[in-house]
Amino acid sequence: MQAARGVLVLNAGSSSLKFAVVDPDTGAQRLSGIGESLGDSDPRVSWRCDDETGHLALDPGAAHAAVLDYLVGELLPAQPALRAQLIAVGHRIVHGGEHFAQSVLIDGDVIATIEDCAALAPLHNPPGLLGIRAARRAFAQLDQVAVFDTAFHQSLPPHAYLYALPYRLYREHRIRRYGMHGSSYRFVSERAAALLQRPLSALNIIATHLGNGASVAAIKSGTSADTSMGLTPLEGLVMGTRCGDLDAGVLIHLAESLGYAVAEIRALLNRDSGLLGISGLSNDCRELERAAGNGHRGARLALEIFCYRLAKYIAAYTVPLQRVDALVFTGGIGENSTWVRAQTLEWLRGLGYRLDSARNRQMRAGAEGAITAAGSPLALVIPTNEEWVIARDAARLVAAQE
Ligand code: AMP
């Protein structure tokens, strides 16, 4: 029997850093943890390793580097058996521009290219680079692999990825739509093929990744044909704190008529909008559902706009796919919110979707399966596992070198 192997997976968000040691063969996580509220007044780390758990308050203002110091300086050295299993470090990198259509082993050139792409994802690529540098220092003998959110969507055709802007902006500055959540889409589309017992190459899937960030993808024969996020993760669906699609004229109006500075517009669109901005209450779907149930009008309106926009995108993606074999819900909201799924399918009655309410109620907390009634086009809930995709890619690239 092969000895257990582990890949250290690092997933750096703008104010969080998730880490895990993932078995690339089974997806099992012996260690998992998260550093949250990084850069804020009360940053903290929590983790679980087998049956042990730990929580640590970091110094006010501490950010990604402090979490990495703790991980490589204290947590992993205290688990020598786990440390000894490590065969690689896998990094989730949000933006690879047009440079990466696949995961790659990290070297100096790759780092320089990720740096170049940082202008396209200023909140995400820099912490990803911090993670790469810290891991290279701490694990000099281990290969490092970059897995890009954008890579999966490099198959988009020009009519899907170009904005109707002067073409020179694309030619000279690579301003185009890139898409995100690629690892999640790879995982759920492969899982959908397994559940349907059909080859992925024969399937057309509309997948919705609904977490704090949210997007939709039209996946044709296992490749992305269209997706809702664009140059940055701002475009598309209503999200926890991001506005999604917006008339670009609003930005001009904010700047010209209301005197907003660029930094204020950035904060408004990324941090203060979406479910939080509409409801005036929270970006958390659970809290909004509770409040809407208690009559909070803003919470109800936020959830309604979220579902309506989502349903419109799903309907639009019948255009590139023509035939849709499965609609997939994933991400924290997609996997758990019976209300959001029911409301979204209600909007899609015109396309024939009919919910099976009992099945819909069963699909939560990691459950996987169909939520539609007999005779309806198929909608599935599939819990995603981006960490496993990253670990698998890292193990494959390391093995290919040997
Ligand atoms: P993620 O970014 O994938 O972790 O997803 C976070 C989102 O999932 C938040 O809006 C949560 O409120 C939402 N979520 C998690 N569990 C539930 C649940 N049981 N019901 C509704 N929303 C949930």
Side-chain angles (χ1 to χ4, degrees):
M1 208 176 78
Q2 195 178 28
R5 306 183 299 161
V7 173
L8 174 62
V9 174
L10 297 180
N11 179 351
S14 48
S15 62
S16 69
L17 176 63
K18 289 189 204 157
F19 51 88
V21 174
V22 182
D23 183 328
D25 303 307
T26 64
Q29 297 190 7
R30 274 201 56 201
L31 168 71
S32 64
I34 183 166
E36 293 176 279
S37 299
L38 304 180
D40 287 352
S41 54
D42 62 340
R44 54 198 177 270
V45 183
S46 48
W47 54 267
R48 184 187 57 73
C49 187
D50 298 329
D51 294 333
E52 222 180 314
T53 58
H55 303 276
L56 176 80
L58 299 171
D59 291 336
H64 300 75
V67 181
L68 289 162
D69 283 350
Y70 173 65
L71 176 65
V72 300
E74 289 186 44
L75 193 48
L76 282 172
Q79 309 285 342
L82 189 62
R83 170 74 185 78
Q85 287 177 7
L86 293 184
I87 56 164
V89 184
H91 299 265
R92 177 198 177 200
I93 301 295
V94 167
H95 221 305
E98 290 186 324
H99 303 281
F100 302 103
Q102 273 161 14
S103 304
V104 289
L105 285 162
I106 295 174
D107 59 16
D109 288 345
V110 169
I111 291 178
T113 311
I114 295 171
E115 275 169 349
D116 282 348
C117 296
L120 300 173
L123 299 179
H124 290 88
N125 274 23
L129 282 162
L130 260 181
I132 290 174
R133 294 210 169 90
R136 284 182 114 200
R137 271 197 308 275
F139 307 105
Q141 77 290 9
L142 291 181
D143 283 314
Q144 316 270 325
V145 169
V147 180
F148 299 91
D149 267 41
T150 47
F152 181 67
H153 302 293
Q154 278 298 294
S155 52
L156 254 59
H159 60 251
Y161 72 65
L162 283 173
Y163 292 115
L165 291 167
Y167 192 78
R168 67 181 159 76
L169 288 177
Y170 169 62
R171 203 175 46 235
E172 292 167 21
H173 302 288
R174 290 291 174 254
I175 293 179
R176 51 158 282 183
R177 311 183 58 254
Y178 288 95
M180 318 283 154
H181 293 138
S183 301
S184 179
Y185 289 131
R186 277 173 58 198
F187 185 84
V188 298
S189 52
E190 284 170 23
R191 246 345 266 158
L195 286 175
L196 297 177
Q197 298 185 321
R198 288 171 61 187
L200 186 54
S201 58
L203 287 178
N204 289 348
I205 295 167
I206 298 177
T208 70
H209 179 107
L210 311 176
N212 222 344
S215 71
V216 192
I219 303 170
K220 197 175 185 128
S221 309
T223 60
S224 181
D226 205 346
T227 192
S228 59
M229 281 182 171
L231 176 74
T232 76
L234 250 183
E235 191 179 340
L237 300 179
V238 175
M239 305 180 218
T241 61
R242 290 177 228 152
C243 60
D245 291 341
L246 188 70
D247 174 359
V250 172
L251 310 184
I252 298 168
H253 182 76
L254 287 172
E256 267 184 3
S257 307
L258 302 179
Y260 274 72
V262 172
E264 290 172 317
I265 293 178
R266 180 185 298 119
L268 182 86
L269 304 183
N270 281 292
R271 248 192 18 220
D272 305 335
S273 296
L275 295 174
L276 172 67
I278 302 165
S279 67
L281 182 70
S282 171
N283 63 328
D284 190 300
C285 181
R286 262 170 307 202
E287 200 175 328
L288 293 178
E289 286 185 21
R290 267 195 300 273
N294 291 330
H296 191 291
R297 291 178 59 169
R300 172 132 207 132
L301 187 61
L303 291 169
E304 281 172 354
I305 297 171
F306 181 92
C307 296
Y308 178 64
R309 174 97 54 96
L310 173 60
K312 282 205 298 184
Y313 261 101
I314 293 167
Y317 285 171
T318 59
V319 172
L321 296 185
Q322 303 286 316
R323 183 198 82 241
V324 180
D325 297 301
L327 167 63
V328 175
F329 289 95
T330 195
I333 297 173
E335 292 166 27
N336 293 295
S337 176
T338 52
W339 193 90
V340 165
R341 295 189 306 242
Q343 195 59 34
T344 305
L345 290 195
E346 187 59 31
W347 282 115
L348 294 170
R349 282 181 80 83
L351 296 181
Y353 284 92
R354 298 288 181 274
L355 186 73
D356 180 321
S357 300
R359 281 186 181 167
N360 188 36
R361 277 195 299 278
Q362 283 160 12
M363 290 303 144
R364 46 191 299 280
E368 179 184 77
I371 56 168
T372 33
S376 163
L378 181 65
L380 298 166
V381 173
I382 300 182
T384 196
N385 195 335
E386 292 159 287
E387 284 76 16
W388 194 5
V389 172
I390 294 169
R392 279 191 323 214
D393 276 11
R396 181 175 47 77
L397 287 169
V398 168
Q401 285 204 113
E402 285 163 359

